[in-house]
Amino acid sequence: MNSKIKNYVEVLFADVPRTKRAAELKEEILSNLNDRFEDQIREGKSKNEAYGAAVASMGDIDALLAEVTPSEDFKKEADYYRRRKAKFISIGVALYILGALALIAFGALGEVFAPQRVEFFGVIGLLVLLLFCAIATGLIIYGTASTPIEYKDFEEQNDRSRRENMTPRERKFKATMSIYWSVVTCIYLTVSFITFAWHTTWIIWPVAGILCGILKTINEMRDLND
């Protein structure tokens, strides 16, 4: 199979969700182009001439692609799965946070009400944390794995389009925020392990969240002023 034809077809279907119909059409176009290319080669044409003739002989490929481009119903379904996935992830993140809070709370309760059994309370808190983490991880995995691949492709294409349309300032801010939250995580873990004051070091997260919101607002205001 000619690699140039294969690359051409890959480009044609780059923005088409991987539905069964799209896969069948892709194979059909690929097979037809390759057959026509081989026919042109047998007639004595060069590879470049054969490639051009094969592509030209296919006619209006855009009309064929229009048959497998996302319809309004498809977009609605894709939006449903996107929102469902986001909901599972949100619940999962909330459970992670609640598990951490449970660990802190049981430790604090042990220190206040039963200092002699503080380790027991710590074990209970750890078990609750692990349970919440297990449920959260299961929800996140299920929300991702249960989404049909064609809807995943559609979401990835939209994300790619949004990234391509981002301004240089937006890209810079996004990269800065990635570094920012990595630094916040390192600070939280370092302070917590040094002081073992897990029941108070959690305050780092809401403070970091408020600061993130302020930075985001400042960045948006700068965009409005430009």
Side-chain angles (χ1 to χ4, degrees):
M1 180 173 292
N2 184 271
S3 60
K4 195 172 182 180
I5 289 177
K6 185 176 181 180
N7 291 336
Y8 171 73
V9 175
E10 290 293 338
V11 171
L12 283 178
F13 284 82
D15 295 327
V16 177
R18 287 183 288 179
T19 61
K20 182 179 180 181
R21 175 67 185 114
E24 292 173 349
L25 180 62
K26 182 179 179 180
E27 288 300 321
E28 181 181 343
I29 292 176
L30 188 60
S31 177
N32 287 338
L33 279 174
N34 195 65
D35 290 342
R36 298 183 188 198
F37 174 81
E38 294 296 335
D39 289 341
Q40 296 296 324
I41 291 294
R42 282 192 289 270
E43 292 178 6
K45 293 184 178 179
S46 67
K47 288 186 177 181
N48 287 336
E49 291 174 337
Y51 169 78
V55 172
S57 67
M58 287 297 294
D60 189 6
I61 295 181
D62 289 339
L64 296 175
L65 293 176
E67 299 177 4
V68 293
T69 52
S71 62
E72 288 302 318
D73 289 339
F74 180 90
K75 292 179 180 178
K76 289 180 181 178
E77 286 290 318
D79 185 60
Y80 162 75
Y81 280 104
R82 180 188 61 79
R83 287 186 284 106
R84 192 189 70 156
K85 178 183 174 183
K87 181 167 63 176
F88 280 129
I89 291 176
S90 299
I91 295 173
V93 171
L95 287 174
Y96 284 129
I97 296 173
L98 288 175
L101 291 176
L103 177 62
I104 296 169
F106 274 100
L109 288 172
E111 291 180 359
V112 174
F113 297 105
Q116 70 281 7
R117 304 187 65 187
V118 66
E119 292 183 359
F120 173 77
F121 277 85
V123 171
I124 296 298
L126 179 60
L127 291 176
V128 173
L129 171 62
L130 293 176
L131 176 62
F132 279 25
C133 288
I135 296 173
T137 303
L139 287 173
I140 292 173
I141 292 175
Y142 174 77
T144 302
S146 62
T147 301
I149 190 169
E150 58 265 29
Y151 298 124
K152 291 181 182 177
D153 286 347
F154 185 68
E155 184 179 349
E156 290 174 1
Q157 289 163 11
N158 287 336
D159 290 340
R160 183 166 61 249
S161 177
R162 283 192 290 268
R163 288 195 298 269
E164 291 173 352
N165 292 327
M166 288 175 64
T167 64
R169 177 175 292 171
E170 289 173 334
R171 292 193 183 96
K172 183 178 180 180
F173 181 77
K174 184 177 180 180
T176 302
M177 285 297 98
S178 297
I179 298 173
Y180 170 81
W181 284 113
S182 297
V183 171
V184 169
T185 302
C186 290
I187 292 174
Y188 170 73
L189 293 175
T190 301
V191 173
S192 298
F193 278 114
I194 291 176
T195 63
F196 287 98
W198 299 87
H199 58 288
T200 56
T201 55
W202 62 269
I203 196 66
I204 291 175
W205 293 109
V207 172
I210 293 171
L211 180 58
C212 177
I214 294 173
L215 293 174
K216 184 177 180 180
T217 301
I218 293 174
N219 186 67
E220 291 174 350
M221 291 176 63
R222 291 176 62 188
D223 287 337
L224 292 174
N225 292 331
D226 287 346

